[in-house]
């Protein structure tokens, strides 16, 4: 059997260990695994299934379509799945039938969710959808403003009294830009929770932090922390390696040497079977390295379907090239690639193209 030209190896064992470590770190707060952008390129369904097997009870899907995809692929209603980003005119009936938790940050969204609930309420097995009311605390990313907040909460409480929704959580997204800003967000958040409770909402769950703040600030963990990057073994804190956070990168990107020819100064140029068509950013050329049999070689050029490396040691056709991964073959991590090429490790893994096969292993 020939190996694929390029493949993304996804280590479900590493994911399970990361999740175990993160759960222990944030406990007694719960850990939500965020699987937006096809689980940052790792594959939403397989990784969500692994997460559930590892004890994760809440998954952040981003959109309704992704949430329904999880429900259709073995993530049952005992696992909370949250959707929070909606295109204009989003329909909610299927999400309600599938028991997807729904974020709401405006009176109009609550009205749309309540209307959908009214339409499906007579169907067998109907349960009012649980709402996560979203407050803006400074990031200005689709949360209710403090001025609108009482009206949003009141609309949710009214819909709850009609049996159409259940108030359940209050949440926000903190900026994680500076400690002071996060502290301010936290204060605004606590104030918002108090307002919600005063107006009759149930607040069983409060969540605001993601990977960075959730890792280092116990005071922002509250009832739940939502982690994407750290779950995938990609530090979102500057200047730390995955190992220093107790994490292992989950994705390894591999390709092969397809051809060689002599380069300048006794080097060997290698033509490697991955290019920007596979999601390797062009600006890793001149900045990052790949590894072959334990040795790093610089990337000189990135073309659509291949890249060129300049090897100092021996290089042969068919050699396995590790572009990035946990470092087992001496390769750089995705986080390191991000640092060296002026982006985020998250972006490096997330943009690996859909055409690249994902191979799931449990190492
Ligand atoms: C992406 C996202 C997260 C996870 O962020 P990381 O920094 O990758 O952990 C958490 N919450 C929300 C609302 C998000 O959109």
């Amino acid at each position: 059997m020939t190996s694929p030209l390029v493949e993304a190896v996804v280590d479900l064992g590493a994911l399970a260990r990361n999740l175990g470590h993160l759960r222990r770190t944030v406990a007694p707060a719960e850990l939500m695994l965020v699987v937006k952008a096809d689980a940052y390129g790792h594959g939403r369904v397989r990784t969500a299934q692994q997460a559930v097997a590892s004890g994760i009870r809440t998954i952040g899907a981003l959109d309704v379509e992704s949430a329904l995809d999880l429900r259709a692929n073995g993530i049952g209603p005992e696992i909370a799945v949250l959707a929070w980003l909606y295109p204009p005119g989003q329909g909610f009936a299927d999400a309600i039938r599938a028991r997807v938790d729904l974020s709401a940050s405006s009176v109009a969204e609550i009205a749309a969710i309540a209307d959908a609930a009214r339409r499906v309420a007579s169907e067998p097995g109907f349960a009012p959808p649980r709402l996560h009311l979203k407050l803006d605390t400074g990031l200005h990313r689709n949360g209710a403003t403090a001025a609108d907040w009482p009206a949003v909460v009141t609309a949710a409480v009214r819909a709850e009294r009609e049996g159409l929704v259940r108030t359940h959580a209050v949440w926000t997204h903190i900026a994680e830009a500076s400690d002071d800003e996060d502290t301010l967000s936290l204060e605004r958040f606590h104030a918002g929770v108090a307002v919600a409770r005063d107006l009759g909402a149930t607040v069983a769950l409060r969540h605001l932090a993601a990977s960075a703040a959730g890792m280092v600030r116990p005071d922002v963990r509250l009832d739940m922390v939502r982690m994407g990057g750290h779950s995938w073994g990609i530090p979102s804190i500057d200047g730390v390696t995955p190992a220093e956070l107790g994490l292992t990168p989950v994705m390894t990107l591999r390709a092969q040497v397809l051809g060689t020819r002599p380069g300048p100064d006794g080097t060997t140029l290698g033509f490697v079977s991955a290019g920007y068509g596979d999601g390797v950013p062009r600006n890793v050329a001149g900045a990052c390295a790949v590894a072959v049999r334990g040795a790093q070689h610089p990337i000189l050029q990135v073309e659509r379907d291949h890249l060129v490396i300049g090897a100092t040691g021996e290089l042969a056709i068919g050699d396995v090239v590790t572009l990035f991964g946990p470092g087992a073959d001496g390769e750089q991590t995705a986080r390191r690639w991000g640092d060296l090429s002026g982006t985020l490790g998250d972006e490096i893994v997330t943009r690996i193209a859909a055409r690249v096969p994902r191979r799931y292993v449990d190492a």
Side-chain angles (χ1 to χ4, degrees), residues 2-338:
T2 57
S3 335
L5 290 169
V6 50
E7 65 173 359
V9 180
V10 176
D11 182 352
L12 295 174
L15 175 61
R17 289 191 299 278
N18 290 344
L19 293 174
H21 173 62
L22 294 168
R23 284 178 69 203
R24 287 188 295 275
T25 302
V26 304
E30 200 192 326
L31 179 66
M32 174 198 282
L33 173 66
V34 178
V35 297
K36 66 190 179 190
D38 202 23
Y40 296 44
H42 295 72
R44 176 171 52 234
V45 167
R46 287 295 297 273
T47 58
Q49 289 168 344
Q50 175 62 59
V52 168
S54 308
I56 291 289
R57 287 290 164 269
T58 305
I59 298 177
L62 186 78
D63 54 318
V64 167
E65 210 182 317
S66 303
L68 294 176
D69 178 52
L70 290 173
R71 284 284 187 255
N73 286 285
I75 307 299
E78 71 284 3
I79 304 300
V81 174
L82 175 64
W84 66 87
L85 202 64
Y86 313 125
Q90 173 76 55
F92 291 103
D94 287 341
I96 295 170
R97 291 185 182 106
R99 312 235 167 149
V100 172
D101 282 9
L102 296 168
S103 172
S105 54
S106 69
V107 172
E109 267 173 12
I110 289 165
I113 293 167
D115 281 351
R118 202 173 280 116
R119 284 198 307 281
V120 303
S122 60
E123 295 176 9
F126 168 77
R130 293 195 304 196
L131 295 185
H132 292 230
L133 300 175
K134 187 168 187 191
L135 175 66
D136 177 52
T137 54
L139 191 60
H140 309 304
R141 207 199 268 177
N142 88 324
T145 62
D148 291 344
W149 184 241
V152 170
V153 174
T154 301
V157 168
R158 283 206 188 112
E160 182 166 49
R161 288 190 183 132
E162 286 183 70
L164 299 172
V165 301
R166 277 171 58 202
T167 54
H168 177 61
V170 170
W171 75 301
T172 189
H173 199 28
I174 55 171
E176 301 189 311
S178 74
D179 245 13
D180 286 351
E181 275 175 78
D182 287 355
T183 300
L184 190 60
S185 284
L186 185 62
E187 284 164 11
R188 290 176 179 149
F189 186 76
H190 283 307
V193 168
V195 168
R197 286 187 168 137
D198 277 352
L199 292 171
T202 300
V203 186
L205 195 63
R206 302 157 302 157
H207 53 105
L208 78 167
S211 285
M215 199 77 183
V216 297
R217 282 192 59 164
D219 62 330
V220 300
R221 291 175 190 152
L222 304 183
D223 303 313
M224 187 163 71
V225 177
R226 309 180 303 264
M227 288 193 175
H230 284 179
S231 305
W232 313 115
I234 301 165
S236 42
I237 300 165
D238 283 342
V240 295
T241 64
E244 284 164 350
L245 291 179
L247 301 171
T248 306
V250 174
M251 184 192 289
T252 301
L253 190 67
R254 292 217 180 94
Q256 300 182 51
V257 175
L258 299 181
T260 62
R261 68 178 165 81
D265 306 322
T267 60
T268 303
L269 298 181
F271 296 85
V272 176
S273 58
Y276 63 78
D278 303 296
V280 177
R282 288 192 68 217
N283 56 354
V284 299
C288 304
V290 302
V292 180
R293 279 182 270 114
Q296 286 190 6
H297 306 292
I299 301 169
L300 304 179
Q301 219 176 305
V302 179
E303 302 294 342
R304 191 177 53 207
D305 301 308
H306 72 269
L307 51 87
V308 181
I309 60 173
T312 38
E314 190 193 326
L315 201 64
I317 290 175
D319 275 351
V320 172
V321 178
T322 306
L323 286 87
F324 57 78
D329 190 33
E331 74 277 7
Q332 294 171 335
T333 64
R335 167 69 209 233
R336 185 86 186 121
W337 266 37

